[in-house]
Amino acid sequence: MLDRGKISVLQMCLSMYLMVGATAILIIPAITAKEAKQDMWISPFWGSLSGFLAVWLAWSLYRLTPGKSIIQTGEAVLGPRLGKAAALLYILFLVHGAGLIVREYGEFIVGTILLKTPIVVVMGSIVLTAAFAVRSGIEVLGRFSLLLGPLFGLFLIGIVLLLIPRYEPTHMLPVMENGLRPSLAGAVTPLTWFMEFLFISFLFPHLRAEETHKALRAGMWAVALMLVTMVIANLSALFLFGEITGRMFFPVFNASHYISMAEFLEHLDAMVMALWVMGGFFQISMWYYVTVISVAQCFHLSDYRPIVYSVGILIIVFSLWLAPGFADLINLFTTSEPFYSATMQILLPALTLIIGLIKRRRRPLSAEAEKVVNRKGNG
Amino acid sequence: MIFSRSWKKRKLRSGGHLSSLSFQPGSDERGLTPLSFELESNLHILRNIFADCTDVLFHDFWISGSRRAILIYINGTANQEELNQQVLTPLLEGRRRSAGSPLFHGIIPVASGSEIGTIEETVRHVMDGNPVILTDGENTATSVGLTKWETRSVEEPIAESVVRGPREGFVETVEINTSLLRKRLRTPLLKMKSYKLGSISHTEVVIAYLQGVAEKALVDEVEKRLHSIRIDGVLDSGDLEELLQDNPYSPFPQLLSTERPDIACSQLLEGRVVILVEGSPIAVVAPTTFYSFLQSPEDYYERYFFGTVIRWLRYLFLFIALLGPSFYVAIVSFHQEMIPTALLLTMANSRELVPFPALLEALLMEITFEALREAGVRLPKQVGAAVSIVGALVIGQAAIEAGLVSSPMVMVVAITGIASFIIPHYTLGVAIRILRFPIMLLSGIFGIMGLMLGLLMLLTHLFTLRSFGVPYLSPLAPLNLQELSDVMARVPLWMTDASVDEHRGKNTGRDQEPDTT
């Protein structure tokens, strides 16, 4: 195995939560609000379905070929050629995904605090910081998750609690004025986000053997936790801003402007941003790590550390190529991104699973495929 | 137990350069010279070896007036009075002994002494300070254990003082130090193994551990690392610390150093290994964790409420010591809106005259402060007070009036300076002091975000760091809730198992009497 580190089930759960969660709270409420209006808090419920499905897919694939990530499973099930092609597609998607998240953070920081700093500098420094964590391996990332997960959760609860005096719960009425349609339309972006839980597949092999049986449940818990967080974030944005949420870029961050307690807990933007940087750092590190591991597994490298910095540069380049501006980025999320994500994160693994199951029914996983994986999988 | 790869790499790099002067005992195959029956030929070789060593004295005398003998000792290290009374007098006046009888033990009333058979051993014994007697017609020499090196008496430790607790500190003599440990732990389970390190210095190094409490793998690893050290001289435990640590590139101390026997003993009870070095009043302890550096023995001697509160105060000030100026620089240069309006006006008023950006101002003050502190350490005690008054009051006040720095900055720097003294162990304090500067630069460039990035890089490093295989941040990461209670609070002794430790995992019962096997 490339990285011999072991993590606990709790670390896996929190890692996945942070890997998906930090940006989800940052920009999803606004995108959801555009379509769903006052029903925006219902959308995450529909969205989470894809999360549960993705975790189940990842787990089924893992059961099919224990000890392997989706990259290696693809090779074992589809054969060397087709498997490699699928792996390359995944790598392309992962670099794109990591670039997206880096860009989101870059836009967030450049748009709110460091107004005059070039975005490349901001993104470069975050990616460099993440590169150190990636080089340290999954064990260090697991420890970070245990530290940052609770911190991030507390910080969100803190924002919500401090804002309670300003809430207007009547903003959510009338519930489902136009039936289910708006909330379903608003669910498209959350659906895309929740699909990312597929990458839990890269964490399963690192679980301690005695805890592996809890993996599926822990993955589902991560999705559930994410669902609750998203509902709370959407509700607080809705209670505070009502329908204008859709016209903002970062509603929950903007909400923190309105915190005012005891005359001195005011203007906490910088602190809120600091905590978001922590969440973002971890999220980027996870995506970055998964990307690097995919590349290493696809090309059967013996060590993943030497390619960390080069992949980092690739991620920064992709983040610049994605879209000319933040508005175009949002446009991407609402148009082509859902289809791209669905193809890569649901369709492709589902196909792999079906083929794998059929193959196994005919005969146990073909001997040569098994051999290929054993020989080249380094593990 | 997993030991760091980087350490192994370095061990290979420092390939041996054993000096030809090496006289390691127990290696006969290296061609040791046996002593001759003729005194003259022995004397010839020894005089050659000790040529130009005026402090090595050769005393010629006749045993009972009939047999020629030579007493070799180093001027000033042997107890001359005892030597005269207990060795020379009985020999000179004693009854005539039959030739060939090698032992003087019946005649010389001393507690320790030994027979030696080679030139190399003779040299070794003389260099260790033992007077050696060579007799004509015998191929063995007698070493008399009458060493008396100049030594300081046991005094109060200076760098780690406590209000309540023992006043004894380690001294420069390793025998006294081991006796200080033995005094507190009177059990045969306390093992002490002695080594000679340094191809020229031949420094005595003692490792002490509690059998059955310290993990055997740990003791073996410490011995292995000690054996692989190739160095010409060990002058202080600091030399050894640098060669034993896991990650040579880390700013953080990976071995706990202490001059207090009570700390060393509490570490022994927790299953750690204490390393004592001849000539050093500082013992090093392996392995250690980050938070051991934030503990003072007093936490345990005082009431536990107090201990808990003080611990939290230390954690808070640890962050201030590390991030204080960075936070100030970030807020003043990027996030002024965070400052309450009234305060902002005062600060703006004070900063109005200052021509520099906050970062430069902070660097200026911090560097000056560090220089003052470093100068204060080197200063003679009589001048110290004067300089601190000039430095702290006059320079600070004058700098504000001259418009070089603003008064809030002086305050921030002062608080940071005090905060870095609250860390009970000096070595960690130094690491924090140094790390303050890169984080300050980052927050001068990126504001709070830079501060966070610096902190995250630091955390990444701390998460990977290990000390003899034990994760540096344990029990915080990897998380161990049971042991974390000791980090969060000073748990009353009656509530603890009193011997739970991260690298043993299980309680081996410090409460119960260990078997004396």
Side-chain angles (χ1 to χ4, degrees):
Chain A
M1 206 191 281
L2 285 162
D3 186 348
R4 289 179 192 282
K6 290 280 168 216
I7 57 171
S8 69
V9 159
L10 182 64
Q11 285 176 333
M12 182 187 75
C13 177
L14 287 174
S15 298
M16 285 318 295
Y17 171 67
L18 284 171
M19 180 175 179
V20 179
T23 45
I25 303 156
L26 193 60
I27 52 178
I28 283 201
I31 303 176
T32 312
K34 277 202 187 86
E35 296 290 337
K37 302 282 188 308
Q38 76 270 28
D39 287 343
M40 63 191 272
W41 60 277
I42 305 174
S43 300
F45 287 101
W46 312 128
S48 66
L49 294 176
S50 74
F52 291 117
L53 180 62
V55 171
W56 180 79
L57 271 176
W59 178 243
S60 306
L61 284 170
Y62 187 75
R63 287 267 302 276
L64 200 63
T65 53
K68 296 181 173 64
S69 74
I70 42 169
I71 300 282
Q72 294 164 323
T73 305
E75 240 183 274
V77 170
L78 304 172
R81 292 232 177 79
L82 220 54
K84 194 79 86 188
L88 283 172
L89 280 177
Y90 274 123
I91 291 171
L92 204 64
F93 177 76
L94 280 167
V95 175
H96 164 87
L100 257 181
I101 285 158
V102 172
R103 180 64 177 270
E104 281 159 22
Y105 276 100
E107 291 287 351
F108 167 56
I109 286 160
V110 168
T112 53
I113 302 279
L114 301 175
L115 301 170
K116 288 177 186 166
T117 315
I119 193 165
V120 188
V121 177
V122 173
M123 295 194 302
S125 51
I126 297 185
V127 170
L128 185 68
T129 314
F132 292 140
V134 171
R135 280 177 65 89
S136 311
I138 190 73
E139 220 160 77
V140 168
L141 288 175
R143 287 174 196 173
F144 261 119
S145 75
L146 217 48
L147 183 73
L148 300 183
L151 210 61
F152 198 74
L154 279 177
F155 138 74
L156 264 180
I157 294 170
I159 293 187
V160 171
L161 287 182
L162 289 172
L163 281 173
I164 283 181
R166 293 177 175 264
Y167 282 158
E168 289 272 357
T170 46
H171 281 314
M172 70 186 281
L173 299 173
V175 178
M176 290 199 216
E177 190 184 15
N178 300 318
L180 285 175
R181 228 188 109 71
S183 65
L184 279 172
V188 170
T189 316
L191 270 170
T192 323
W193 245 264
F194 272 108
M195 284 172 203
E196 292 166 5
F197 275 102
L198 176 74
F199 296 118
I200 198 171
S201 160
F202 285 89
L203 298 184
F204 284 146
H206 292 293
L207 283 179
R208 295 196 184 92
E210 69 271 17
E211 287 186 321
T212 312
H213 64 281
K214 295 184 205 154
L216 181 65
R217 213 187 312 159
M220 294 301 180
W221 269 111
V223 179
L225 202 61
M226 188 66 244
L227 170 63
V228 172
T229 315
M230 242 187 219
V231 170
I232 291 176
N234 284 3
L235 271 180
S236 59
L238 180 66
F239 285 173
L240 200 62
F241 300 119
E243 293 199 3
I244 58 164
T245 312
R247 270 174 259 156
M248 298 177 164
F249 281 144
F250 314 111
V252 176
F253 177 72
N254 289 346
S256 63
H257 285 294
Y258 291 84
I259 293 174
S260 173
M261 277 273 166
E263 301 263 308
F264 81 95
L265 267 182
E266 292 178 313
H267 308 294
L268 294 175
D269 317 18
M271 295 312 294
V272 171
M273 193 211 58
L275 282 158
W276 235 303
V277 168
M278 278 168 60
F281 155 80
F282 186 78
Q283 190 175 15
I284 290 168
S285 303
M286 282 302 290
W287 276 86
Y288 195 169
Y289 178 79
V290 169
T291 312
V292 168
I293 289 289
S294 306
V295 174
Q297 284 180 345
C298 174
F299 297 108
H300 302 298
L301 304 182
S302 57
D303 188 9
Y304 71 94
R305 285 180 187 84
I307 58 166
V308 168
Y309 292 113
S310 4
V311 170
I313 291 174
L314 209 58
I315 288 175
I316 294 177
V317 169
F318 261 76
S319 71
L320 292 171
W321 282 348
L322 281 169
F326 191 59
D328 303 283
L329 202 65
I330 300 289
N331 197 27
L332 178 69
F333 285 137
T334 47
T335 53
S336 43
E337 187 67 26
F339 297 102
Y340 189 17
S341 288
T343 313
M344 292 307 300
Q345 291 171 327
I346 300 290
L347 209 58
L348 196 52
L351 267 177
T352 316
L353 182 64
I354 291 165
I355 294 173
L357 287 175
I358 292 171
K359 270 190 170 177
R360 194 168 67 170
R361 183 160 298 171
R362 255 196 261 152
R363 61 203 149 117
L365 196 59
S366 69
E368 71 265 42
E370 190 70 60
K371 217 165 65 192
V372 164
V373 171
N374 281 345
R375 179 159 51 85
K376 296 178 177 174
N378 293 315
Chain B
M1 201 177 282
I2 314 142
F3 298 105
S4 150
R5 277 190 316 164
S6 59
W7 182 81
K8 278 177 192 149
K9 268 188 232 154
R10 199 163 47 92
K11 182 191 76 183
L12 291 174
R13 248 204 333 268
S14 63
H17 64 96
L18 263 176
S19 160
S20 57
L21 267 171
S22 175
F23 296 104
Q24 308 270 351
S27 43
D28 293 51
E29 62 272 17
R30 269 202 286 157
L32 301 180
T33 330
L35 284 167
S36 150
F37 279 100
E38 281 173 41
L39 184 60
E40 268 311 317
S41 73
N42 289 337
L43 212 52
H44 180 71
I45 302 172
L46 287 170
R47 276 198 201 279
N48 264 340
I49 291 173
F50 292 124
D52 290 338
C53 299
T54 44
D55 58 334
V56 178
L57 301 180
F58 289 75
H59 180 70
D60 230 316
F61 67 100
W62 294 82
I63 296 175
S64 318
S66 63
R67 270 171 75 190
R68 192 176 167 218
I70 296 280
L71 175 69
I72 310 171
Y73 65 100
I74 301 173
N75 196 6
T77 68
N79 191 334
Q80 219 144 11
E81 201 178 307
E82 296 254 318
L83 205 57
N84 287 338
Q85 272 182 16
Q86 316 293 355
V87 180
L88 286 179
T89 318
L91 282 177
L92 289 168
E93 296 171 357
R95 284 178 292 113
R96 182 186 296 255
R97 284 236 145 193
S98 58
S101 164
L103 278 168
F104 291 105
H105 290 173
I107 306 170
I108 306 173
V110 290
S112 70
S114 58
E115 293 289 318
I116 40 184
T118 61
I119 295 283
E120 283 78 8
E121 270 184 275
T122 311
V123 173
R124 188 72 272 128
H125 274 272
V126 171
M127 285 293 109
D128 280 343
N130 294 323
V132 174
I133 302 165
L134 290 157
T135 322
D136 193 22
E138 276 171 43
N139 67 342
T140 52
T142 306
S143 153
V144 189
L146 280 177
T147 327
K148 193 190 176 193
W149 296 95
E150 261 329 300
T151 162
R152 189 164 62 98
S153 57
V154 175
E155 283 164 25
E156 192 175 346
I158 303 163
E160 295 167 68
S161 49
V162 291
V163 176
R164 177 171 178 178
R167 297 283 188 271
E168 280 178 337
F170 285 130
V171 292
E172 284 79 355
T173 316
V174 78
E175 288 83 23
I176 295 180
N177 294 348
T178 53
S179 74
L180 287 174
L181 292 183
R182 184 69 75 182
K183 187 167 124 187
R184 286 171 174 76
L185 304 172
R186 300 183 183 188
T187 160
L189 290 178
L190 172 60
K191 304 292 178 194
M192 310 225 187
K193 290 187 181 173
S194 173
Y195 301 91
K196 285 270 157 62
L197 273 185
S199 56
I200 293 177
S201 70
H202 293 281
T203 313
E204 186 173 4
V205 174
V206 173
I207 64 168
Y209 61 94
L210 275 178
Q211 196 180 50
V213 180
E215 218 177 61
K216 192 164 182 316
L218 171 70
V219 180
D220 291 344
E221 177 70 16
V222 172
E223 288 185 65
K224 201 183 95 200
R225 290 193 191 185
L226 278 176
H227 278 305
S228 65
I229 288 176
R230 301 277 175 272
I231 190 173
D232 49 357
V234 180
L235 299 181
D236 187 82
S237 54
D239 291 342
L240 219 54
E241 188 185 332
E242 193 169 323
L243 294 171
L244 286 176
Q245 63 194 352
D246 293 49
N247 182 350
Y249 301 111
S250 173
F252 289 97
Q254 291 148 55
L255 293 166
L256 185 76
S257 50
T258 180
E259 51 179 338
R260 300 187 59 89
D262 56 329
I263 294 186
C265 285
S266 83
Q267 298 285 338
L268 283 173
L269 288 169
E270 284 175 26
R272 293 177 183 167
V273 175
V274 172
I275 304 164
L276 299 160
V277 178
E278 172 74 44
S280 171
I282 312 270
V284 290
V285 182
T288 189
T289 56
F290 183 77
Y291 98 102
S292 307
F293 289 95
L294 294 171
Q295 283 186 336
S296 161
E298 218 173 337
D299 300 356
Y300 292 94
Y301 304 146
E302 294 281 1
R303 300 196 58 75
Y304 55 86
F305 303 108
F306 181 70
T308 306
V309 172
I310 290 292
R311 261 183 204 181
W312 279 98
L313 194 71
R314 274 192 215 122
Y315 298 150
L316 174 68
F317 272 74
L318 173 78
F319 275 97
I320 293 180
L322 182 66
L323 303 175
S326 317
F327 194 67
Y328 177 78
V329 166
I331 296 223
V332 168
S333 346
F334 291 92
H335 317 287
Q336 294 92 345
E337 75 280 354
M338 278 181 74
I339 309 168
T341 318
L343 181 61
L344 184 65
L345 288 175
T346 329
M347 276 169 65
N349 193 26
S350 150
R351 278 193 47 77
E352 197 176 29
L353 293 171
V354 181
F356 308 120
L359 174 65
L360 198 65
E361 201 188 343
L363 282 177
L364 198 75
M365 277 307 284
E366 281 293 338
I367 292 171
T368 316
F369 181 80
E370 291 298 326
L372 265 176
R373 188 204 304 222
E374 184 58 24
V377 175
R378 311 283 156 233
L379 279 172
K381 275 200 184 96
Q382 300 84 340
V383 202
V387 169
S388 58
I389 291 167
V390 171
L393 294 175
V394 181
I395 295 184
Q397 194 59 39
I400 296 170
E401 277 170 20
L404 283 172
V405 289
S406 58
S407 39
M409 178 58 83
V410 174
M411 219 186 92
V412 168
V413 171
I415 290 177
T416 314
I418 290 172
S420 62
F421 284 116
I422 214 170
I423 300 166
H425 289 264
Y426 182 73
T427 41
L428 183 69
V430 176
I432 298 294
R433 267 160 67 189
I434 295 169
L435 289 168
R436 192 153 70 205
F437 288 91
I439 297 184
M440 223 188 300
L441 277 176
L442 274 173
S443 50
I445 298 168
F446 292 121
I448 291 277
M449 189 190 106
L451 190 145
M452 288 315 294
L453 291 184
L455 202 59
L456 287 168
M457 283 189 210
L458 197 62
L459 267 177
T460 310
H461 173 67
L462 284 173
F463 277 142
T464 44
L465 202 59
R466 283 168 180 272
S467 164
F468 279 81
V470 176
Y472 202 53
L473 279 191
S474 61
L476 188 69
L479 190 66
N480 184 330
L481 287 176
Q482 197 188 357
E483 288 161 22
L484 195 66
S485 62
D486 191 39
V487 177
M488 292 298 159
R490 206 288 259 166
V491 182
L493 281 175
W494 40 264
M495 275 169 70
T496 62
D497 296 333
S499 75
V500 183
D501 192 50
E502 50 265 28
H503 56 87
R504 283 184 299 125
K506 262 189 229 138
N507 178 13
T508 41
R510 194 162 124 188
D511 298 339
Q512 70 213 31
E513 194 64 36
D515 301 322
T516 45
T517 42

